[in-house]
Amino acid sequence: MGGSALKNTQTRRYDRDEYLRIANLVTVKLSTLDNVYRAYPIPHIRDKQTFGDLDILYTTWSDAAVRRDSIQRMFEPNEIVKNGDVISFNVEELQVDAIHSLFSPSNYALKYFSWNDAGNLCGKLFHKFGLKHGHKGLVLPLRDGNNHFEDVHLTFNHDDALKFVGLDPEIYNDGFDTLDDLFKYVASSPYYNPDFYKLENLNTIAKVRDRKRTTYNKFLAFGESYVGPRYTGFSEDKSVYLQRIFDAFPHAYEQFEQANARLATQKFLKQKFNGDLVKELTGLSGKQLGAFMRHLREQFDFKESVLLYLSEATIRKNVLDMFETFNDN
């Protein structure tokens, strides 16, 4: 995505007719592969006239992505580059970025990737609520301090997600003729503020990624001249939005409770059984301690479901008993 993944292959910009020909060729061929449900050219702003790459979303029935050897046999490209869920290759002199997604009826991924950088621009609004809007749906990341321990999936319905931040899904689904139309749409959210998008206000990963994006930089310029309302009511404490989140997505509350119960259990168990305890009892350290810890966790008496009900005295005795056996071996 972005036309720069292929470093050893000559590529060029294609006009609309050439681009549509290759888009049709690639989607038809990809759709014939085993496990692929369907391939879709990702919609772009309608006034775009030339193209430096072709973005294709393909969905599969299982988690298995398309293999490099399948791409090689089918398209015979000069170069193939795999990066996460994206496999890039050339067809003639056009870079193709084939993005993998698991099949879902609402096709959240296709809508997220549509209309240039729309998914990323809308995603900044969700981020202010402590949410993550991406090609795998709308999720609530759960953190214990700085530790991200689990995600709660809120919805795979893209329309419902847009409504949460006050955006009209019908307008989004109809698409945009120009980038200015897209920018005005994002700014129509009651939660929009151009300051949210300034590079100096982003985390390091987003800053590095977004400063390279042409559409994002044009959106920054749009924000500089924006004269409409600016939302200023967001809190740094994202927990204040939990009630609003679960009012909108009530089915997710049970997942939230279960995830926090699992975290509480893990923290409780870590107090009862941990590396410091084993080091104290055995005198082991470094690689020897690591090997013995792995050995302990393979034993029935040290499974989480068992440790939960053992007293600390019993756990200490079991460690020492296992240590004697471990040394004998």
Side-chain angles (χ1 to χ4, degrees):
M1 300 177 71
S4 60
L6 304 182
K7 306 297 184 185
N8 303 305
T9 299
Q10 179 176 333
T11 59
R12 62 177 175 86
R13 297 195 69 82
Y14 273 57
D15 64 29
R16 180 181 292 272
D17 288 342
E18 291 180 297
Y19 169 86
L20 292 175
R21 174 180 61 81
I22 292 182
N24 182 65
L25 170 72
V26 174
T27 52
V28 169
K29 284 191 171 185
L30 280 179
S31 296
T32 65
L33 291 174
D34 290 343
N35 193 41
V36 173
Y37 168 69
R38 190 172 172 184
Y40 313 79
I42 294 175
H44 49 75
I45 298 297
R46 283 187 284 264
D47 74 348
K48 190 172 183 178
Q49 298 301 316
T50 65
F51 303 83
D53 64 348
L54 165 63
D55 292 332
I56 299 286
L57 178 76
Y58 71 93
T59 58
T60 57
W61 293 109
S62 73
D63 289 332
V66 166
R67 295 163 52 94
R68 294 171 65 101
D69 55 356
S70 297
I71 295 294
Q72 186 64 51
R73 285 195 302 271
M74 180 164 282
F75 297 101
E76 300 183 344
N78 300 331
E79 187 176 0
I80 300 175
V81 176
K82 185 83 164 58
N83 183 17
D85 290 328
V86 183
I87 186 165
S88 301
F89 54 96
N90 66 290
V91 175
E92 298 178 21
E93 295 179 288
L94 183 66
Q95 176 176 310
V96 176
D97 296 320
I99 308 164
H100 175 231
S101 176
L102 192 62
F103 167 76
S104 70
S106 64
N107 215 334
Y108 200 107
L110 180 62
K111 292 183 179 181
Y112 173 79
F113 286 124
S114 294
W115 317 121
N116 296 47
D117 211 14
N120 181 41
L121 298 180
C122 294
K124 297 289 193 290
L125 301 172
F126 292 98
H127 182 72
K128 302 303 289 187
F129 288 96
L131 304 179
K132 182 179 179 181
H133 168 61
H135 68 286
K136 296 182 180 180
L138 183 64
V139 303
L140 169 63
L142 300 183
R143 293 182 172 83
D144 179 36
N146 293 323
N147 175 44
H148 170 230
F149 66 90
E150 201 161 331
D151 285 334
V152 173
H153 285 268
L154 300 179
T155 185
F156 292 104
N157 187 309
H158 192 266
D159 290 0
D160 289 345
L162 291 179
K163 291 174 185 176
F164 183 82
V165 290
L167 292 172
D168 186 339
E170 289 190 15
I171 295 175
Y172 189 98
N173 295 337
D174 188 50
F176 306 97
D177 291 329
T178 67
L179 285 177
D180 193 57
D181 291 339
L182 169 61
F183 298 162
K184 289 176 180 177
Y185 173 76
V186 176
S188 72
S189 167
Y191 303 107
Y192 171 74
N193 186 322
D195 291 345
F196 300 158
Y197 295 84
K198 291 181 178 179
L199 294 175
E200 60 265 30
N201 294 329
L202 305 182
N203 63 39
T204 302
I205 294 175
K207 187 183 301 183
V208 170
R209 179 195 63 210
D210 290 337
R211 88 160 30 105
K212 300 175 183 178
R213 292 180 165 176
T214 302
T215 299
Y216 195 90
N217 282 283
K218 290 180 179 180
F219 188 63
L220 291 178
F222 168 86
E224 290 294 327
S225 59
Y226 174 77
V227 294
R230 299 168 181 242
Y231 188 75
T232 58
F234 280 116
S235 171
E236 290 298 317
D237 179 7
K238 304 308 179 188
S239 67
V240 303
Y241 302 117
L242 290 176
Q243 185 63 59
R244 184 176 186 276
I245 290 168
F246 295 128
D247 285 344
F249 308 105
H251 67 278
Y253 183 67
E254 184 177 355
Q255 296 178 47
F256 174 78
E257 282 195 313
Q258 292 172 350
N260 279 288
R262 284 190 290 272
L263 175 66
T265 299
Q266 290 169 7
K267 294 173 79 170
F268 175 65
L269 290 175
K270 190 170 287 188
Q271 289 178 336
K272 295 176 71 174
F273 173 68
N274 54 64
D276 290 338
L277 170 67
V278 176
K279 181 178 181 179
E280 174 194 332
L281 293 173
T282 64
L284 295 175
S285 61
K287 291 183 179 179
Q288 289 181 319
L289 176 61
F292 184 51
M293 289 294 293
R294 286 192 294 274
H295 174 71
L296 289 179
R297 295 188 189 281
E298 291 170 356
Q299 312 307 312
F300 174 77
D301 286 345
F302 293 89
K303 300 297 183 185
E304 287 189 356
S305 57
V306 177
L307 284 171
L308 191 61
Y309 298 100
L310 297 182
S311 68
E312 292 185 17
T314 301
I315 292 172
R316 295 171 75 92
K317 180 181 183 302
N318 288 349
V319 169
L320 291 172
D321 290 347
M322 286 289 177
F323 184 52
E324 289 184 8
T325 305
F326 188 72
N327 275 341
D328 290 342
N329 295 335

